[in-house]
Amino acid sequence: MARQKGIIKLKGTIGDITFYKTQDGHLAREKGGINASRIKNDPAFQRTRENGSEFGRAGKAGKVLRTALRGLLLNSADGRIVSRLTQAMVKVIQADTVSVRGLRNIIDGEAELLIGFEFNIRGKLGTSMFAPYNGAIDRASGDI
């Protein structure tokens, strides 16, 4: 990924190069990729479709968890919570040994992998809360 170091900060597209700004600074990338209809239909992209399906499922599961904890996360979550939680949910889905690849899900995965997940990477709970606490997941009752 290209980084802009000059004084001219561009935003938008020129030719096949797109300029944009993130919290990491001003970046540029070249337009590219494969036709979407080819990914949807070509047998060579079956694994890509399976991965995309599971990634989408992980994103939705992360959204459900963030929505459930929205009141608590308003002033405590960092700017990269979505990507970090999605990454953790993908690992939970990949731990599902019951379902076939592409259909794996959170319920059959290992939700215990979320134990210790920090909603703010810069302000970890253990460094600000000194009262003893114990996290537990009870699959039978559905309690966390």
Side-chain angles (χ1 to χ4, degrees):
M1 183 108 12
R3 290 190 182 275
Q4 293 175 269
K5 291 192 173 196
I7 60 171
I8 300 175
K9 310 284 195 271
L10 300 173
K11 201 174 198 181
T13 302
I14 299 175
D16 287 342
I17 300 176
T18 301
F19 299 89
Y20 58 102
K21 183 180 180 183
T22 67
Q23 63 188 34
D24 295 328
H26 293 272
L27 303 173
R29 69 175 170 212
E30 187 176 9
K31 182 180 175 184
I34 298 171
N35 188 337
S37 65
R38 183 170 173 211
I39 291 174
K40 289 178 187 174
N41 301 314
D42 192 338
F45 289 96
Q46 177 62 31
R47 183 57 53 99
T48 303
R49 290 190 294 274
E50 291 169 357
N51 292 339
S53 171
E54 290 182 359
F55 183 76
R57 207 168 288 117
K60 287 178 185 175
K63 174 70 173 173
V64 167
L65 182 59
R66 287 191 329 273
T67 301
L69 301 174
R70 184 177 313 242
L72 300 171
L73 297 177
L74 276 175
N75 297 319
S76 61
D78 63 33
R80 299 211 187 255
I81 181 70
V82 174
S83 60
R84 290 188 310 102
L85 187 55
T86 301
Q87 181 182 27
M89 289 294 188
V90 166
K91 289 179 184 174
V92 171
I93 286 176
Q94 289 172 343
D96 176 5
T97 57
V98 178
S99 307
V100 296
R101 187 181 178 98
L103 298 175
R104 296 182 292 194
N105 58 64
I106 296 290
I107 300 299
D108 296 323
E110 294 296 325
E112 290 82 5
L113 293 172
L114 295 175
I115 293 173
F117 180 81
E118 296 288 348
F119 286 93
N120 189 328
I121 200 70
R122 292 173 301 219
K124 299 188 178 195
L125 186 61
T127 61
S128 58
M129 184 174 149
F130 299 111
Y133 65 93
N134 193 5
I137 298 173
D138 184 0
R139 286 180 180 259
S141 68
D143 292 334
I144 296 179

